[in-house]
Each structure stands twice: as C-alpha cells, then as structure tokens.
Amino acid sequence: MTVFKGFEEIVREKVSLGPLTTFKIGGPAEYFLQPRTEEELAAVLVRCGEEKLDVHVLGGGSNVLVPDEGVTGAVIQLEPKGFGGFAVVEGELVRAGASLGLPKLVRSAAEAHLSGVEPLVGIPGWVGGAVRMNAGGAWGDIGQVVERVQVMDARGQVFWRDRDDLAFGYRRSNVAARFVLAAELRLAEDDETRIAKFMKEIWFAKKNAQPMSNRSAGCVFKNPRGMSAGALIDQCGLKGTKIGGAIISRKHANYIVATAETKAEDVKKLIELILDKVNEKFETVLELELEIW
Ligand SMILES: Cc1cc2nc3c(=O)[nH]c(=O)nc-3n(C[C@H](O)[C@H](O)[C@H](O)COP(=O)(O)OP(=O)(O)OC[C@H]3O[C@@H](n4cnc5c(N)ncnc54)[C@H](O)[C@@H]3O)c2cc1C
C-alpha cells in the first residue's frame, strides 16, 4: 500500500464500516486508520493532505449513515486505548479523551462522586462526537459542562479552545477543527446515591419512549423550533412504515430502525418519504440530525 507507506500498523484497506456503527449498515472504507497518538494522527493528516484524500472522522458511529457503496478516501477513528482516557484533573474538573464512550464517562464520573454528565445516559456515542454536536436531550447536554476542548486542525496543529470561545446550541457546536482530541468537563461533587437515582430515572424514561435496543442512529431529524419532529411524523400516520428493511419505529416516530437486511438506500428512501409527507402536511422542512456520508 503505497499511499500509507510507513503507517502499516494502523491502516487497513476495504474495512466494512457497518459493524462500526450502531445502524450496522454501510459499505467499506477505502482506507481505515486508527492512530494511537497525537503524533501519529498529525502525520496521517499530513499524508492525507499530500495524497489529496477525503477524510471522514468516525467516533462511536452512532449518528452516521454510511452508504451501501462505502466511502472513498480515509476514515479515521482515534484508537480507543490511546484517546479514550478518563482522569480527574483536580477537584471537580475531569478530562475525557475523544474516544471514551459516553456510558463509561457517565459511570466513571458517578464513581468519582461527580454530577453533571447524567443527561448523557443512554447515548451510545463517544466524547469527541458528543462535543462536536453537543449531545444531550431534555435533561441537559454536554456543552453545559465543557470547560475547554483540545482539538487538532487539518494540518496537525493541536490547541485548546476555552469556554469563552466555545458556543453550544441545539445539537451543534462551533468546534469546527478537524478532530476533537479531548474535553475537560467541570462537574459538581454530589452524593453517589443521588447521582445513581437520577441516572436510573433518565434511563427508564428513555427506555419507555425510545427503541433503545434496536439498531438505529438515534433521532433522525432535529426538532423544529417549538415542535417535536416525532410528533409531526406521527401525525402524518407514518409510524410502522417500512421501505425494504428500514422501518419508522412504532415506539418513537423520529427513529428509523434497521434489521439485518436493511440497506442504507432503504433508510435514505424512508428519510425522503418523511421529508415529503411532513412538508406536504405541515409546510415544514425537517432538518437531519443524523449525518449521511
Ligand atoms: C439509541 C440511540 C440513542 C441516542 N440518543 C441520543 C440523545 O439522546 N441525544 C443526542 O444528542 N444524541 C443521541 N444519539 C445520537 C448519538 O449517540 C450522538 O449524536 C453522539 O454524540 C454521536 O457520537 P459518536 O461518537 O457516535 O459520533 P459519530 O456518529 O461517529 O460521528 C458523528 C459526527 O461527529 C464527528 N466526530 C466524531 N468523532 C469526532 C472527533 N473525535 N472529532 C471531530 N469530529 C468527530 C463525525 O465526523 C460526525 O460528523 C443516539 C443514538 C442512538 C443510536
């Protein structure tokens, strides 16, 4: 492999991306790389630039739909061992690596008697993806506790962005650098039992309302201002609608769930159908929350 000569230990060709996503759908990456250190990542990015390769960044794969034909260029996922650490920096300040899974972040914080990340219960992504798109929900979001974020730009330069310079909104942030490497979160000391109780409350509320055990990428659309995307889809009578192997969940209309036979194309067609029906009935254009590669 001449393109990534010298990186043989961390690159593989034609890696199926489906298993790396929560939808479990999608074709291969031309090149799949898992850098273990900042230096390796920087060198990989420089090489991608020299070779003029498209770069896709993959975290936990819980908010992306990979096309059936796969993606050309490089898909880069920060290796979990190298970038998945959790540490209490001092007192109530913790540092979480970009590849730390949110369930582990929530558990580790609770074990340290620190409260603030419970709203992330039930969200299967990783810290990097969560910061990039300000993951959260009715109980709060990660942006509320972010103190600073360590990022790397497309040329491999690493820097920190502080709270004053960060903006988090509904499922979006102004963290535009190529990679989030880590985030420091300002939590609050609390009683472990109280934290556990809150976590349980959120978990049960989500389990009742959302198809948590099905293959999906979470909510497909953002809620339009003052409205619920799920309610609009439901009022179009679309719950249970199926195209190929993709189904609009009967439990929560803003979820498309997949079976072993589902193709990305089925999901895309179902998305088109929802967009058309909601626009026709409510003159509202829904905006995608999940990302189609
Ligand atoms: C069952 C289920 C429930 C969910 N519930 C919620 C919920 O309640 N609230 C919510 O907000 N989301 C929810 N989601 C969606 C998803 O878990 C979140 O959006 C999560 O933050 C995505 O993180 P990820 O690591 O999986 O990102 P990915 O899906 O891998 O990537 C998402 C985006 O972030 C970018 N990205 C990933 N890692 C990095 C990085 N290190 N640096 C820079 N960019 C990066 C990717 O390029 C892509 O643009 C749910 C998903 C599922 C499957």
Side-chain angles (χ1 to χ4, degrees):
M1 189 191 314
T2 51
V3 172
F4 284 108
K5 198 165 178 342
F7 294 100
E8 287 78 5
E9 282 184 30
I10 58 162
V11 63
R12 286 180 289 149
E13 283 181 83
K14 304 261 170 296
V15 171
S16 177
L17 293 173
L20 302 176
T21 71
T22 50
F23 246 147
K24 308 275 177 240
I25 299 174
E30 186 177 5
Y31 300 104
F32 179 69
L33 295 110
Q34 280 188 308
R36 300 162 290 194
T37 61
E38 281 175 26
E39 293 70 28
E40 240 170 32
L41 175 62
V44 161
L45 284 178
V46 169
R47 182 69 57 86
C48 289
E50 288 165 356
E51 298 289 339
K52 300 194 169 36
L53 290 178
D54 285 341
V55 173
H56 283 90
V57 182
L58 184 69
S62 62
N63 200 47
V64 292
L65 176 66
V66 177
D68 298 315
E69 63 277 17
V71 289
T72 52
V75 173
I76 304 178
Q77 184 185 55
L78 302 179
E79 203 245 356
K81 267 199 223 125
F83 290 92
F86 173 89
V88 177
V89 180
E90 56 165 19
E92 300 176 324
L93 189 67
V94 304
R95 184 175 298 180
S99 302
L100 179 69
L102 298 177
K104 185 130 185 249
L105 167 67
V106 174
R107 265 199 323 274
S108 303
E111 279 162 19
H113 300 200
L114 292 171
S115 166
V117 283
E118 300 90 314
L120 304 174
V121 162
I123 307 181
W126 293 1
V127 166
V131 168
R132 159 77 95 217
M133 60 159 309
N134 192 21
W139 294 270
D141 51 52
I142 195 166
Q144 290 168 339
V145 292
V146 171
E147 189 70 22
R148 57 181 194 147
V149 179
Q150 189 188 34
V151 295
M152 183 183 284
D153 67 18
R155 288 172 306 145
Q157 307 281 339
V158 176
F159 50 98
W160 284 92
R161 290 188 58 188
D162 292 330
R163 175 132 205 110
D164 299 347
D165 170 42
L166 294 170
F168 293 96
Y170 170 53
R171 300 294 85 77
R172 67 186 163 75
S173 76
N174 65 348
V175 181
R178 185 46 70 74
F179 278 91
V180 172
L181 302 178
E184 285 187 358
L185 312 174
R186 174 77 57 194
L187 305 180
E189 207 176 316
D190 204 344
D191 175 63
E192 205 181 348
T193 327
R194 219 173 32 221
I195 297 174
K197 190 166 168 274
F198 188 30
M199 283 166 58
K200 239 190 223 162
E201 254 173 57
I202 296 176
W203 173 249
F204 282 116
K206 286 198 165 185
K207 217 167 146 273
N208 278 333
Q210 299 168 21
M212 303 294 283
S213 51
N214 289 93
R215 296 177 180 188
S216 79
C219 285
V220 177
F221 299 99
K222 292 185 182 181
N223 291 320
R225 191 180 288 272
M227 290 187 269
S228 147
L232 297 180
I233 300 167
D234 191 9
Q235 284 163 38
C236 290
L238 290 172
K239 270 188 175 173
T241 304
K242 190 174 174 200
I243 293 185
I247 307 161
I248 299 176
S249 167
R250 287 193 180 280
K251 199 165 186 179
H252 192 310
N254 198 13
Y255 272 68
I256 291 179
V257 296
T259 62
E261 290 75 41
T262 308
K263 300 274 175 229
E265 212 42 47
D266 302 335
V267 178
K268 286 187 196 169
K269 284 184 190 153
L270 210 42
I271 287 173
E272 287 304 320
L273 177 80
I274 295 171
L275 285 170
D276 284 350
K277 294 284 182 196
V278 169
N279 195 10
E280 207 176 284
K281 192 168 168 94
F282 299 104
E283 292 181 1
T284 297
V285 181
L286 292 176
E287 187 190 340
L288 276 180
E289 177 167 327
L290 80 76
E291 197 175 297
I292 301 180
W293 280 8

